[in-house]
Amino acid sequence: MPALLQMIGRRLISAIILLWGVTVVTFALMTIVPGDPAAANLSQQAYDDPELRAAFEQKWGLDQPIWVQYGRYIANLFQGDLGISQQTHRPITQDLAQYIPATLEVALPAMILAIVIAVALGMIAATRKGSAIDGGIRGASLVGLSTPPFWLALVALYVFFYALGLVPNGGRLSNEYDPPPTVTGMYSLDAVFAGQWDVFADAVWHLILPVGILTALTVSGLLRFVRSAMIEVLDAEYIRAATAKGLPARTITWRHVFKAGLLPVLTVTGLMFASLLGGAVLVEQVLSWPGLGQYAYKSALSLDLQAILGVTLFIAVVYTLINLLVDVLYTIVDPRIGAK
């Protein structure tokens, strides 16, 4: 426990330094990237008016040197203020509170399904290395990795919505339903809390397509790591010794191989989940899903510096926390790592 607490303390200090570095790099990149926020947010007539353009720049602090803008941002950040979005004219914290639950509602079930499917298929492929089943699983994984997310989203939308009519064409709820009272921001859970089962069914119906697409994309990447990790463990000397002693295959697979092969899989799973929380931008755009990815995309188009910084900081915090969680899980799965 002392070693674990020391590791967590070191990681938290590193996280603070990392987040500070993220703000510096983001501000620096925004000065390099060509474009004028005033031109992106104002109409052509307003932009051609020097007074209106100057008023816009003064309102958002764009008339100040970049180091002054950065200093103000850091000062506000210590007070929990992420600024105001130029596109929504709302505090960034309110925007993130609206869009993050929408992405969570898709990312959580997609990650859970992906882990279950990838571990099951990876174990099957590893224990049948070189067989036709192994080749088929590896081939399907390669196809999934080679498929662009936006193309898969477009094909899935055409097949399951336009051709078959099995799923809606996007959004979180049908027009005849109002969002349930907000508790978590995730419509399916909030509908359960409110006892609105018709809204729950409609929310789940709208989740089928985005969750299915993100699950397929995540399984493709995770499956190869699971298979490789399990094969490496199966080739270990102690596994061969256990087999020679006559231990049942099921005991060897689940008590020894699965636990030992879980460590490298934890890292990849954590990073993939962080990526999902960061927002599958193209999938959300195609399916009109109002999540963090779509918010980040619109912020980039409008050169909304405050919103871009807010999204970047959130993603950095997610990656940092998930990496910390993975390290803690490492010590639980293999205490020898914590001892180091």
Side-chain angles (χ1 to χ4, degrees), residues 263 327 330-331 334-340:
L263 289 175
D327 288 338
Y330 266 27
T331 63
D334 189 349
R336 293 172 300 176
I337 297 179
K340 297 177 182 179

Side-chain angles (χ1 to χ4, degrees), residues 45-257:
Q45 182 178 0
Y47 183 77
D48 291 337
D49 189 327
E51 293 184 0
L52 291 178
R53 187 168 67 249
F56 176 86
E57 293 176 348
Q58 183 178 10
K59 177 182 178 180
W60 299 105
L62 301 175
D63 58 337
Q64 299 295 324
I66 188 65
W67 56 86
V68 175
Q69 297 181 44
Y70 179 73
R72 289 178 177 176
Y73 180 79
I74 292 297
N76 292 333
L77 190 62
F78 278 114
Q79 302 175 18
D81 182 8
L82 295 178
I84 306 294
S85 170
Q86 296 173 10
Q87 56 174 323
T88 64
H89 301 283
R90 298 190 308 174
I92 305 298
T93 52
Q94 290 186 13
D95 287 342
L96 294 179
Q98 174 184 342
Y99 289 105
I100 289 173
T103 296
L104 269 175
E105 192 172 20
V106 176
L108 283 173
M111 197 70 237
I112 293 172
L113 288 173
I115 292 173
V116 173
I117 295 172
V119 169
L121 293 179
M123 293 287 289
I124 293 172
T127 54
R128 292 166 174 79
K129 179 183 176 182
S131 66
I133 295 177
D134 179 33
I137 292 176
R138 287 190 292 120
S141 173
L142 183 60
V143 170
L145 288 172
S146 305
T147 303
F150 73 91
W151 183 86
L152 180 61
L154 286 172
V155 170
L157 186 64
Y158 175 82
V159 172
F160 295 104
F161 166 68
Y162 181 78
L164 301 177
L166 297 177
V167 295
N169 65 338
R172 300 181 68 187
L173 281 177
S174 301
N175 293 331
E176 61 264 28
Y177 294 108
D178 293 325
T182 301
V183 178
T184 64
M186 293 181 276
Y187 288 175
S188 55
L189 285 181
D190 291 348
V192 171
F193 294 146
Q196 299 177 355
W197 299 108
D198 52 344
V199 178
F200 169 76
D202 189 74
V204 172
W205 186 44
H206 282 75
L207 282 170
I208 292 174
L209 192 59
V211 169
I213 293 171
L214 292 179
T215 298
L217 294 171
T218 307
V219 166
S220 300
L222 186 58
L223 175 57
R224 299 178 67 85
F225 287 97
V226 174
R227 177 184 177 276
S228 299
M230 297 306 172
I231 288 177
E232 183 176 352
V233 176
L234 284 170
D235 290 337
E237 291 293 336
Y238 72 95
I239 298 297
R240 295 177 182 175
T243 304
K245 290 180 180 179
L247 287 178
R250 179 176 298 181
T251 302
I252 294 174
T253 300
W254 294 107
R255 186 172 297 179
H256 300 287
V257 177

